[in-house]
Amino acid sequence: MNEVLARDPWNREAYLSMLRYLSPEEAGSRIQVLEFVDALCARMPANAPCAATELTSQVLQYHAVLARGGIEALVARNHWSHGAAAQALDRAAHTWVQPAFFRHAAALADLNLLAYALTAADRWQEARPVFEALRGTVTGWPWHTGGDPLTESEQAQSRAAA
């Protein structure tokens, strides 16, 4: 992390790579992910290019629960109502959609992440303005977990609009 800070303190791709590396699926643990995200969020501007790191960590954890299958996957949506996940989603939902909040190249990817997380959490009404801000732009991740990203996003958008 010190090397990233020295080169580019808000490098989106570097932080997302570190997040995946620290995950239990690679070389780390859930505790390491939490410590990393807490340290980053404590000093990061809310609209920095790496702002999605916190919500990305929650989506990755949610996907890990879904991948386990069984009863855990059936109640996976409860992930979004507890502690850090709920707080991360609340912060993003209240700020990211504001006009010109994000000014980095991956802003639409961040908004796709937010739309996905809000729909996974059954927060359909809050997802509506996010879909409006996206104006039809869909990213592969995280929508691909349910199948075809475009189909998944369109179905979620339709449900949010209803």
Side-chain angles (χ1 to χ4, degrees):
M1 186 154 121
N2 292 336
E3 187 64 29
V4 172
L5 288 172
R7 291 176 185 224
D8 183 356
W10 310 125
N11 186 302
R12 173 190 175 78
E13 295 308 316
Y15 285 111
L16 294 177
S17 293
M18 289 176 65
L19 180 66
R20 285 184 170 88
Y21 175 76
L22 292 173
S23 73
E25 292 75 29
E26 287 199 26
S29 68
R30 185 70 191 138
I31 298 295
Q32 287 177 303
V33 169
L34 293 172
E35 289 173 350
F36 169 69
V37 170
D38 285 346
L40 176 61
C41 290
R43 61 181 182 16
M44 172 185 60
N47 64 346
C50 57
T53 305
E54 179 183 27
L55 191 55
T56 299
S57 75
Q58 294 300 328
V59 169
L60 290 172
Q61 184 180 3
Y62 172 71
H63 286 173
V65 172
L66 289 175
R68 282 181 252 177
I71 194 83
E72 285 186 79
L74 292 174
V75 296
R77 81 170 44 116
N78 294 338
H79 169 79
W80 299 105
S81 61
H82 299 290
Q87 292 171 3
L89 193 50
D90 287 344
R91 276 191 295 276
H94 295 301
T95 56
W96 290 11
V97 181
Q98 294 174 15
F101 179 77
F102 279 138
R103 296 179 182 198
H104 60 273
L108 293 176
D110 291 350
L111 289 175
N112 267 274
L113 176 69
L114 176 58
Y116 174 85
L118 287 168
T119 59
D122 287 332
R123 291 169 60 169
W124 299 98
Q125 189 171 8
E126 290 173 89
R128 188 176 307 127
V130 182
F131 283 115
E132 289 170 6
L134 285 167
R135 290 178 280 164
T137 302
V138 177
T139 57
W141 193 87
W143 295 105
H144 76 283
T145 56
D148 174 64
L150 185 58
T151 302
E152 293 298 315
S153 176
E154 286 174 345
Q155 288 174 351
Q157 185 173 2
S158 293
R159 187 160 176 200

